[in-house]
Amino acid sequence: MAAVGACIFSAVSSPVFRRQITSSSEKPKRNPILKRVVVSTERTLAATTTVMTETTPTRIFVEKKSSELVEDEAETKQTVNVREYSEEESEGNGKSLKDYFDEAEDMIKSSSGGGRPRWFSPLECGSHTRDSPLLLFLPGIDGVGLGLIRQHQRLGKIFDIWCLHIPVKDRTSFTGLVKLVESTVRSESNRSPKRPVYLVGESLGACIALAAAARNPDIDLVLILVNPATSFNKSVLQSTIPLLELMPGQITTMLSSILSLMTGDPLKMAMDNVVKRLSLQPKIQDLSQDLVAISSYLPVLADILPKETLLWKIELLKAASAYANSRLHAVKAQMLVLCSGKDQLMPSQEEGERLSSALHKCEPRNFYDHGHFLLLEDGVDLVTIIKGASYYRRGRNHNYVSDFMPPTSSEFNKICEDFRWMRVLASPVMLSTLANGKIVRGLAGIPSEGPVLFVGYHNLLGLDVLTLIPEFMTESNILLRGLAHPMMYFKSKEGGLGDLSPYDVMRIMGAVPVSGINLYKLMSSKSHVLLYPGGVREALHRKGEEYKLFWPESSEFVRMATTFGAKIVPFGAVGEDDLAQIVLDYNDQMKIPYFKSQIEELTATAARLRTDTKGEVANQDMHMPYPVPKVPGRFYFYFGKPIETKGRKRELRDREKAHELYLEIKSEVEKCLAYLKEKRENDPYRNILPRLIYQARHGFTSQVPTFEP
């Protein structure tokens, strides 16, 4: 069984050195079985040499008191045996709730539950880069510090992770814990002032994070709060204090209840484990074994939360909630709140809404089918959550290019699965133009090397994007970086735009807020960029305006593309009128007082673009057209011949020449639209019924034919 193999050091100590495993007779060399041990020491002192044999795997706990408190006190070391684990196992995300309990038991036994609160860095978190920000994990009521155990592998690639361990017998007050965290935050912020410090707090830890942020408003902090205990006054735990005090000895019943909350539903967890292991139907004996395994955690939980400790932790939660709530007004940090819908300990979703309303920089994310210990449950990936919210940054501000991490295969597959219905309904047809002018089915005519700027017409509600971007990834392994309206990224002060989580998928797939700076960065990074000059005006068009371009008069993007010698690919997309029909558009809604006031309120809170532009394109009032669905037709995309700008920089500095190219691109987009509207009339599979019949005969993964280009 894999063990946490970690170094533990005092909470007010600062740096972390990772050392290669050595033997007494050999030079430092990577051990294929064990990963590097983490050692804490002051940067000004020499690192302590660690000697371990490959036949006796060990874990070293190095405690180091802060030089601010006891500068000359000697280090103390404890060595305990741990289980071996393979390199292959350590590279996966295969850790489970069982690993949490196994490794928690190891940590408690290693120190007999005593000592002071201290930091440790899990060995599997050692692959981050030098410019990775620091992430401090602050545990919940358990205090072990292993709440991220199922996240260590992925998080450790982009963060320097330190986890706080609060020993079972420790009775440090809440303000004492806050001061420990605050000292580390200040020390590390001074050491790397240009990088943020992340505080990931779970329950009790969320209150510590809020308190530290309130006391240090000038430090660049990013808070990720998981089911925060700021709602303790509404928690079921508050009413259990008198009962616990009367209960003699071990509190097995209470621990059983807490155990059932670790994943929300033990039976569901056991079933999930069986299904994962078997490709056939689950077996009764495997299900029974998993349920027995769950009940076997009780002794470990009793070690983590003996009666005296549980009573202390509940009192600690009470103090933490009161302290954090009294100082919410002082919190200036960027904050992401993760709320479970089936949290039986606290009303977490309600609390997330409250915090989001109270704090301008706070965004909630809801997980409706999960329990209190969210990060220990299946299907929860903290890295994906952070990416989706655009909360990962290495500097003062988020850079949508340098801080962007492309979607992993699992992230992409999940997104494709979530939107598979759209692909079935629309059955997109992709056409591109080769260098010789020949039109072919597929994306063979698309330049593989960037920078490339795709310029086209935006279909109703942006429905075209749902099929366009996945098709590029699947067929050509090209990630289109879309330029999107800023309302999908930034919470307004008035809160009129509501929940931003529906746009997380777009951010994971690389969309960025439309701006000249972001276009410049994307072009300079040789990206494939997707631009709709008509923007909101086209996507939210009126009745009878299908496939009509609403472009600004000025050539906004041509000179930018020319600066980097980018290829410009004009394209058309047709199919919105075969999927839906608008029954209530902007003009209709402005005649109805209720809808008119909603439009005015929403427009006032949204970011305004092209304020210096005149005409229809400047009329980008935010509203939602009301369409009714049709029997699904088909989406068609036609990419014209790429237009070269390389070598034309001097020529296109002339505004008139640049405008001529701009009008040429606009004309090509209109030709692409006209071509598709005409050719689709000859497609025998334009309607969904013939397509379904074809796929029933040839397989549902088969490509459905279309017209001859």
Side-chain angles (χ1 to χ4, degrees):
M1 177 60 59
V4 130
C7 154
I8 297 186
F9 49 98
S10 100
V12 288
S13 145
S14 297
V16 173
F17 284 102
R18 306 184 189 277
R19 300 178 57 80
Q20 295 281 34
I21 295 172
T22 66
S23 70
S24 57
S25 59
E26 294 180 313
K27 294 181 179 180
K29 145 174 145 174
R30 182 176 178 82
N31 187 311
I33 301 297
L34 295 176
K35 288 206 165 183
R36 293 173 291 180
V37 172
V38 183
V39 178
S40 166
T41 177
E42 296 298 328
R43 294 182 188 271
T44 56
L45 300 178
T48 303
T49 302
T50 302
V51 180
M52 298 191 300
T53 63
E54 297 190 5
T55 58
T56 308
T58 59
R59 175 171 59 189
I60 306 297
F61 295 89
V62 179
E63 299 183 7
K64 180 70 171 68
K65 295 189 178 181
S66 171
S67 58
E68 299 173 9
L69 301 176
V70 189
E71 189 168 350
D72 58 349
E73 184 163 340
E75 293 179 339
T76 60
K77 301 180 184 179
Q78 294 176 300
T79 304
V80 297
N81 291 329
V82 297
R83 301 175 179 88
E84 293 186 1
Y85 65 100
S86 67
E87 185 79 1
E88 180 180 357
E89 182 182 358
S90 72
E91 292 300 328
N93 279 324
K95 294 213 170 179
S96 64
L97 189 63
K98 185 178 187 303
D99 294 304
Y100 166 84
F101 282 106
D102 288 341
E103 298 182 14
E105 187 175 20
D106 282 347
M107 293 184 72
I108 293 171
K109 287 181 178 179
S110 69
S111 61
S112 301
R116 301 187 310 158
R118 49 197 182 267
W119 299 103
F120 70 92
S121 183
L123 294 182
E124 61 264 36
C125 297
S127 59
H128 62 84
T129 60
R130 287 189 175 184
D131 63 342
S132 297
L134 175 66
L135 184 152
L136 302 179
F137 175 67
L138 312 176
I141 191 173
D142 62 303
V144 178
L146 291 173
L148 291 178
I149 191 168
R150 305 191 73 172
Q151 318 287 333
H152 284 163
Q153 292 293 336
R154 292 203 65 199
L155 283 174
K157 294 178 180 178
I158 60 174
F159 289 106
D160 181 9
I161 300 178
W162 298 8
C163 304
L164 181 63
H165 174 67
I166 305 173
V168 174
K169 298 177 182 178
D170 178 71
R171 296 297 181 264
T172 303
S173 66
F174 176 74
T175 53
L177 293 173
V178 172
K179 288 178 181 178
L180 292 178
V181 173
E182 182 180 42
S183 177
T184 302
V185 165
R186 287 179 177 176
S187 174
E188 293 306 308
S189 179
N190 290 335
R191 199 177 301 280
S192 302
K194 295 182 180 180
R195 289 203 293 271
V197 175
Y198 282 71
L199 300 181
V200 178
E202 182 180 55
S203 185
L204 170 64
C207 293
I208 298 174
L210 283 168
R215 291 162 61 105
N216 297 274
D218 297 329
I219 294 181
D220 186 13
L221 297 174
V222 179
L223 273 53
I224 301 176
L225 312 182
V226 185
N227 297 322
T230 45
S231 61
F232 179 77
N233 61 334
K234 300 178 182 178
S235 169
V236 297
L237 287 175
Q238 182 164 264
S239 60
T240 63
I241 298 176
L243 179 62
L244 286 174
E245 291 174 342
L246 295 174
M247 293 178 69
Q250 293 297 322
I251 44 177
T252 306
T253 304
M254 177 61 69
L255 293 178
S256 298
S257 300
I258 293 176
L259 179 60
S260 71
L261 298 172
M262 293 295 286
T263 57
D265 186 347
L267 179 60
K268 177 180 179 294
M269 182 189 71
M271 285 293 293
D272 289 344
N273 289 339
V274 173
V275 171
K276 283 182 179 180
R277 290 200 300 266
L278 300 175
S279 57
L280 302 176
Q281 291 183 348
K283 296 180 180 179
I284 298 299
Q285 59 266 34
D286 291 323
L287 179 58
S288 300
Q289 290 171 5
D290 281 328
L291 290 173
V292 170
I294 291 172
S295 63
S296 69
Y297 300 152
L298 274 173
V300 183
L301 192 56
D303 290 337
I304 296 173
L305 291 172
K307 178 182 175 180
E308 295 77 11
T309 300
L310 183 56
L311 283 168
W312 169 256
K313 290 292 179 67
I314 293 176
E315 290 292 346
L316 201 61
L317 283 171
K318 184 177 180 180
S321 177
Y323 188 102
N325 281 312
S326 68
R327 289 162 176 78
L328 280 182
H329 64 279
V331 177
K332 308 299 180 185
Q334 186 182 13
M335 188 186 311
L336 188 66
V337 183
L338 312 185
C339 314
S340 294
K342 294 184 178 179
D343 186 346
Q344 299 176 56
L345 284 179
M346 299 180 187
S348 293
Q349 281 196 303
E350 180 184 330
E351 184 65 6
E353 294 174 3
R354 184 182 77 90
L355 292 175
S356 178
S357 300
L359 301 169
H360 172 54
K361 292 185 178 180
C362 176
E363 290 187 31
R365 292 296 184 271
N366 293 312
F367 300 84
Y368 298 103
D369 296 325
H370 294 273
H372 183 73
F373 296 89
L374 177 67
L375 300 178
L376 289 174
E377 297 196 32
D378 288 332
V380 178
D381 190 325
L382 188 54
V383 171
T384 301
I385 295 168
I386 293 171
K387 289 167 61 176
S390 292
Y391 265 54
Y392 184 74
R393 54 187 174 91
R394 299 179 182 90
R396 282 283 178 183
N397 299 298
H398 179 75
N399 187 312
Y400 288 94
V401 177
S402 63
D403 288 331
F404 174 69
M405 293 172 284
T408 62
S409 57
S410 60
E411 289 170 342
F412 176 69
N413 290 337
K414 185 180 185 305
I415 291 171
C416 286
E417 183 62 26
D418 290 343
F419 290 94
R420 186 167 60 90
W421 60 271
M422 187 62 186
R423 196 179 193 285
V424 172
L425 290 179
S427 186
V429 174
M430 297 284 170
L431 304 173
S432 60
T433 308
L434 302 178
N436 59 10
K438 182 180 179 180
I439 302 174
V440 296
R441 185 169 188 184
L443 301 175
I446 300 300
S448 58
E449 298 293 329
V452 181
L453 182 62
F454 296 86
V455 184
Y457 165 77
H458 215 356
N459 276 239
L460 178 66
L461 302 177
L463 294 174
D464 47 323
V465 176
L466 297 180
T467 56
L468 175 60
I469 293 178
E471 287 295 320
F472 263 74
M473 282 284 286
T474 303
E475 185 172 337
S476 300
N477 197 30
I478 292 174
L479 179 62
L480 289 180
R481 304 291 305 274
L483 292 163
H485 197 285
M487 73 174 184
M488 301 177 183
Y489 298 83
F490 308 115
K491 175 183 174 183
S492 67
K493 291 183 179 180
E494 294 79 6
L497 295 177
D499 186 10
L500 297 179
S501 60
Y503 308 116
D504 286 1
V505 169
M506 297 180 60
R507 290 188 280 264
I508 291 173
M509 294 301 293
V512 306
V514 61
S515 70
I517 293 175
N518 284 335
L519 178 57
Y520 181 93
K521 291 178 179 178
L522 290 172
M523 290 282 99
S524 64
S525 65
K526 298 185 178 181
S527 300
H528 288 70
V529 184
L530 179 61
L531 173 66
Y532 294 105
V536 170
R537 182 59 182 86
E538 284 178 0
L540 306 180
H541 62 68
R542 308 354 172 194
K543 296 174 184 175
E545 293 180 347
E546 297 86 355
Y547 312 121
K548 181 179 179 181
L549 301 186
F550 291 94
W551 287 20
E553 292 298 324
S554 59
S555 51
E556 297 175 325
F557 59 84
V558 171
R559 287 191 297 275
M560 185 75 76
T562 304
T563 300
F564 297 96
K567 297 180 178 68
I568 300 176
V569 180
F571 74 96
V574 167
E576 63 169 76
D577 55 340
D578 274 353
L579 292 177
Q581 179 179 350
I582 299 175
V583 294
L584 196 66
D585 66 3
Y586 172 80
N587 295 329
D588 296 327
Q589 293 179 44
M590 290 299 287
K591 297 175 183 177
I592 304 173
Y594 172 76
F595 288 113
K596 181 179 180 181
S597 63
Q598 276 197 328
I599 292 172
E600 291 173 348
E601 180 182 347
L602 188 59
T603 302
T605 60
R608 298 291 291 177
L609 301 176
R610 293 169 173 164
T611 54
D612 57 345
T613 305
K614 298 180 180 179
E616 278 293 326
V617 74
N619 183 14
Q620 295 193 0
D621 285 355
M622 305 306 297
H623 72 288
M624 179 61 66
Y626 287 84
V628 293
K630 293 183 176 180
V631 176
R634 201 170 193 182
F635 255 120
Y636 303 86
F637 296 87
Y638 170 33
F639 298 89
K641 187 176 179 179
I643 298 173
E644 290 280 359
T645 65
K646 191 174 182 179
R648 302 179 63 183
K649 186 174 182 179
R650 179 174 297 180
E651 171 195 352
L652 294 174
R653 282 179 182 171
D654 185 281
R655 289 186 176 274
E656 290 187 4
K657 293 288 185 182
H659 192 65
E660 289 176 8
L661 179 57
Y662 176 78
L663 294 178
E664 177 188 341
I665 295 167
K666 183 178 180 181
S667 176
E668 287 297 317
V669 172
E670 291 173 332
K671 289 178 183 178
C672 290
L673 292 170
Y675 174 86
L676 291 175
K677 288 167 67 178
E678 178 184 350
K679 296 292 287 186
R680 70 174 175 173
E681 299 295 334
N682 302 321
D683 184 1
Y685 298 100
R686 179 178 173 182
N687 189 277
I688 191 173
L689 294 179
R691 295 201 301 271
L692 291 176
I693 294 172
Y694 179 90
Q695 290 180 321
R697 292 175 178 173
H698 299 85
F700 283 93
T701 58
S702 59
Q703 186 181 65
V704 180
T706 186
F707 57 80
E708 285 294 324

